[in-house]
Amino acid sequence: MEIMPIQAFLVLSRWSTIDLEKALDERIEGQLKALLPPHMGHLYTLVLADILKRWQVLTGRKALLCTGTDEHGMKVQQAAMTAGVEPKAFCDAGAEIFKNLAARANISNDFFIRTTDKDHQETVQHVWRLLVQKGYIYLGSHGGWYSVSDEAFYPHSAVHMTQNSWTGKETMVSLETGSPVEWSSELNYHFRLSDFRDRLLAFYKENPTFIVPQHRMNDVIQHVKEGLKDLSVSRPRERLQWGFAVPDNDSQTMYVWLDALVNYLTKAGYPWAPGHEHDGGWPADCHVIGKEITRFHCVYWPAFLMALDLPLPRRILTHAHWTVEDKKMSKSVGNVVDPFAAMEHFGTDTIRYYLAHDGRIGRDTNYRERMVMERYRKDCQNRLGNLLNRVFCSKRWKVRPAIQYAHARTRTMTNAGCKKHQERIQQLAPQVHALLVKFDLRYALRAIIDVVRLSNKLFADNEPWTLIESTKYRPRALAQQTVYLCAEALRICGILLQAFIPTKARELLDAIGVAEGRRALAHATVGADPDYGDASGPAQEGGEGGAGEKQLLFPPLKSAPVRDGGRVVKVVHARTATVQAPAEGANDV
């Protein structure tokens, strides 16, 4: 597995709007809740970006992760006005919520940018003036269907009339997002987006994996082929006050998406001094976004960068939505899943594991609490926790001598099943790396947990608790080999899981005695660490650890309401088959 060095691996995550939940002031709180609160989609974006960033750190590369809030626009202005507070105070309260969300989810972001920041304003004004100098911005009249929710104009071909089945009321909405639109005609500035049709198509052809997944890449190409119209990049100040004024014309306010997209350049240090263009990590290696803002990031943003003669991001990961009963989360339906409540109830790493394991990039995924508990019980407790107990909590052997025995014999396996399992463990890190390079986080995690499953099977098949009692060499050698390989599986899987469930992975590696300096991807190979195995006592209840206190790596979950859509169906207890130390012969495949 070879990693080509670069200046920095830059991961950028973004939400579509400043979607807020609560605030410090009651007047603000009501308006924040009138907007969408943070939901699982926001958390999913963060977790995906964090996994990619942490993985690069494991490879030994410098990696940067930037996230934040887009705070300007008509929607925020209207909500703040209704609340009777200044927009900045409104945004201050909301930004804290999203900072707290990132912190609660153990997101390793290096930057949290707010588009109201002073340094961002300076960058946006520089970009505007440069685009004017290059002739890409001009003043003209504009008419179109405007969505306050999307902060975007739509042509006639992109809207249609819908009728409420209950009230009969007809509403014009966007075909792309379903958001209500209203006709608006005004004088504002335009960006010559139409000039970039051919350049964009040529770029897509030269970079066929620019957008992930492929079907969204195809959709973007088709959209651009059908022709691009010049893009409105400002609104009259009399209509929109909450935003940066256009340089040299304070009767106009900058369009929110030009303002918002430039945030990526702000934290990369743009404009750069000569010779320092790459100090901040630009161009970004990966944008992580929800699919609803694909057009803005995959058409408008590349065109802006081309106009500025700047390199484009290498790839854009567009993920699908989390739904409930195949319906978009909605406050009116009552099916919004609160990520704070979920992490408080199930634990941060439990939710991170579930999102990475079940979330899909290409298709929407239904959020189910019963599946959160099932993944925890089946994978974390019954597989990973079970293997930890079996190997390190037995009274019949010590793991450290088994490791020493294997290394003294150059880790040569005499049993066919052990040889095959050793090969599988050895292939795991390259396999996971290849999957993550393709942004296939779901199957990368599943590959890791599958090795844990196979290790449990090897342990059950070989029955080392019986072999170790033999007075003959071969049975005792097989017992030692089995214990060693299962310990190696735990060590290597623990290293790889640091990107997905960092807290639990650290606890696992601590428990089996892996030194801090031997937890990089380079150590995720059989035999790379001959010195671990002095466990500190990773026992579940009823088990017997080392010299340390008894501890629960995967404790039982609290009683939890299983939700089917917005309705509470029943209350169950998460099954915890490995809370008590399992019988050494218990099987788990």
Side-chain angles (χ1 to χ4, degrees):
M1 178 176 14
E2 184 177 3
I3 305 296
M4 298 302 294
I6 59 173
Q7 295 288 340
F9 189 94
L10 184 60
V11 185
L12 303 168
S13 73
R14 209 66 185 166
W15 302 302
S16 57
T17 58
I18 181 168
D19 294 339
L20 313 174
E21 177 195 6
K22 61 184 179 181
L24 305 177
D25 187 285
E26 290 183 359
R27 293 175 301 167
I28 304 177
E29 183 176 359
Q31 288 308 308
L32 294 177
K33 290 184 176 179
L35 301 173
L36 284 177
H39 54 67
M40 277 298 167
H42 299 121
L43 181 57
Y44 188 49
T45 305
L46 280 173
V47 169
L48 292 180
D50 188 58
I51 291 170
L52 293 174
K53 185 258 176 106
R54 287 178 182 274
W55 185 260
Q56 293 301 321
V57 173
L58 283 179
T59 69
R61 301 167 83 179
K62 179 182 178 182
L64 302 171
L65 171 56
C66 177
T67 188
T69 47
D70 306 331
E71 299 182 2
H72 289 134
M74 183 65 72
K75 180 163 60 172
V76 175
Q77 175 178 300
Q78 290 178 349
M81 185 181 300
T82 303
V85 297
E86 291 297 318
K88 183 59 165 62
F90 186 84
C91 293
D92 287 346
E96 285 303 309
I97 293 166
F98 280 96
K99 286 181 181 178
N100 291 339
L101 180 64
R104 183 68 180 83
N106 199 8
I107 304 302
S108 59
N109 56 295
D110 301 275
F111 305 106
F112 188 98
I113 183 172
R114 300 176 57 188
T115 56
T116 52
D117 291 341
K118 180 64 176 177
D119 60 343
H120 178 63
Q121 181 178 10
E122 294 171 355
T123 302
V124 171
Q125 290 172 338
H126 175 82
V127 166
W128 183 279
R129 290 191 173 100
L130 198 56
L131 292 175
V132 170
Q133 291 173 12
K134 290 174 173 287
Y136 289 118
I137 288 181
Y138 66 92
L139 187 64
S141 60
H142 183 86
W145 294 98
Y146 186 76
S147 166
V148 172
S149 175
D150 301 337
E151 302 281 10
F153 279 97
Y154 293 100
H156 286 290
S157 60
V159 299
H160 71 145
M161 188 71 72
T162 61
Q163 186 176 46
N164 188 299
S165 58
W166 292 94
T167 65
K169 180 181 177 181
E170 292 185 331
T171 305
M172 191 70 78
V173 300
S174 162
L175 283 169
E176 183 179 357
T177 66
S179 303
V181 297
E182 57 184 20
W183 181 259
S184 178
S185 181
E186 57 195 38
L187 183 70
N188 53 28
Y189 286 95
H190 294 72
F191 173 75
R192 298 185 189 277
L193 183 64
S194 57
D195 289 359
F196 292 87
R197 176 185 179 275
D198 292 341
R199 287 183 65 182
L200 285 168
L201 290 175
F203 175 80
Y204 299 148
K205 185 176 181 179
E206 293 168 4
N207 299 272
T209 62
F210 176 61
I211 303 169
V212 178
Q214 184 62 45
H215 71 264
R216 290 200 191 99
M217 179 78 171
N218 296 339
D219 292 343
V220 167
I221 292 173
Q222 184 59 38
H223 171 76
V224 175
K225 280 183 176 179
E226 292 173 357
L228 297 172
K229 294 184 178 180
D230 289 351
L231 180 67
S232 172
V233 289
S234 76
R235 298 208 70 191
R237 197 74 174 172
E238 61 189 26
R239 290 191 176 183
L240 176 61
Q241 297 83 46
W242 183 234
F244 296 138
V246 167
D248 307 316
N249 185 353
D250 58 8
S251 69
Q252 293 279 319
T253 301
M254 287 190 203
Y255 168 65
V256 65
W257 276 105
L258 176 58
D259 164 11
L261 289 165
V262 171
N263 89 88
Y264 303 127
L265 293 178
T266 299
K267 281 308 175 188
Y270 183 80
W272 303 292
H276 295 274
E277 291 83 0
H278 301 293
D279 288 359
W282 195 263
D285 294 85
C286 178
H287 283 304
V288 181
I289 63 171
K291 66 178 182 179
E292 73 281 0
I293 50 177
T294 298
R295 175 164 49 94
F296 302 101
H297 282 77
C298 302
V299 180
Y300 301 168
W301 180 225
F304 292 155
L305 291 170
M306 288 176 176
L308 294 167
D309 295 319
L310 295 177
L312 275 60
R314 293 183 173 89
R315 301 179 78 187
I316 298 181
L317 172 59
T318 68
H319 67 74
H321 290 161
W322 283 88
T323 56
V324 177
E325 287 190 323
D326 299 317
K327 295 178 182 178
K328 188 176 180 179
M329 293 185 188
S330 166
K331 284 181 65 65
S332 60
V333 177
N335 64 351
V336 174
V337 180
D338 181 355
F340 288 103
M343 287 187 288
E344 177 66 26
H345 192 87
F346 295 114
T348 296
D349 276 354
T350 304
I351 294 298
R352 285 178 62 113
Y353 185 94
Y354 171 69
L355 293 177
H357 187 282
D358 281 34
R360 293 180 292 194
I361 302 301
R363 292 187 296 147
D364 292 349
T365 304
N366 275 319
Y367 176 85
R368 296 184 177 92
E369 284 187 354
R370 63 179 176 83
M371 292 308 299
V372 177
M373 298 195 302
E374 178 67 9
R375 297 293 176 230
Y376 184 83
R377 180 197 66 81
K378 185 176 181 180
D379 292 349
C380 297
Q381 289 186 317
N382 284 9
R383 288 180 173 162
L384 192 55
N386 195 19
L387 186 62
L388 179 61
N389 277 341
R390 285 172 152 180
V391 177
F392 281 89
C393 299
S394 176
K395 299 177 183 179
R396 299 177 181 176
W397 60 74
K398 295 293 184 182
V399 176
R400 183 80 197 115
I403 295 172
Q404 293 171 327
Y405 175 89
H407 279 267
R409 288 156 180 77
T410 64
R411 302 175 302 280
T412 301
M413 298 296 117
T414 57
N415 174 269
C418 288
K419 286 181 181 179
K420 182 178 180 181
H421 194 62
Q422 184 180 34
E423 292 171 359
R424 179 69 189 92
I425 299 172
Q426 188 74 349
Q427 296 164 358
L428 181 60
Q431 178 189 11
V432 171
H433 182 74
L435 288 167
L436 288 175
V437 166
K438 297 189 297 183
F439 298 150
D440 197 343
L441 287 75
R442 188 185 194 202
Y443 281 97
L445 179 55
R446 293 182 178 198
I448 297 170
I449 207 65
D450 190 56
V451 165
V452 177
R453 178 187 67 84
L454 291 172
S455 298
N456 272 297
K457 185 177 187 302
L458 178 77
F459 193 94
D461 289 347
N462 288 356
E463 300 184 352
W465 61 92
T466 300
L467 298 175
I468 203 71
E469 303 295 336
S470 175
T471 57
K472 296 181 179 179
Y473 171 77
R474 286 190 176 183
R476 292 183 64 84
L478 179 55
Q480 296 277 28
Q481 291 174 20
T482 302
V483 170
Y484 170 69
L485 286 177
C486 290
E488 281 290 84
L490 281 167
R491 182 183 66 83
I492 291 171
C493 289
I495 290 172
L496 305 182
L497 286 171
Q498 290 176 102
F500 296 88
I501 49 173
T503 300
K504 290 300 180 182
R506 184 185 69 249
E507 292 175 5
L508 170 61
L509 295 173
D510 287 346
I512 65 176
V514 177
E516 288 283 351
R518 293 183 173 177
R519 300 184 180 188
L521 187 61
H523 301 106
T525 182
V526 176
D529 183 359
D531 300 322
Y532 76 104
D534 285 327
S536 61
Q540 306 283 3
E541 286 182 352
E544 182 175 329
E549 296 179 359
K550 294 180 180 179
Q551 55 185 294
L552 288 166
L553 182 60
F554 296 108
L557 292 176
K558 302 174 185 177
S559 298
V562 177
R563 294 186 177 273
D564 186 5
R567 297 174 291 107
V568 177
V569 179
K570 59 182 178 180
V571 175
V572 300
H573 289 269
R575 288 183 289 170
T576 53
T578 58
V579 172
Q580 273 70 45
E584 288 167 329
N587 195 4
D588 170 49
V589 295

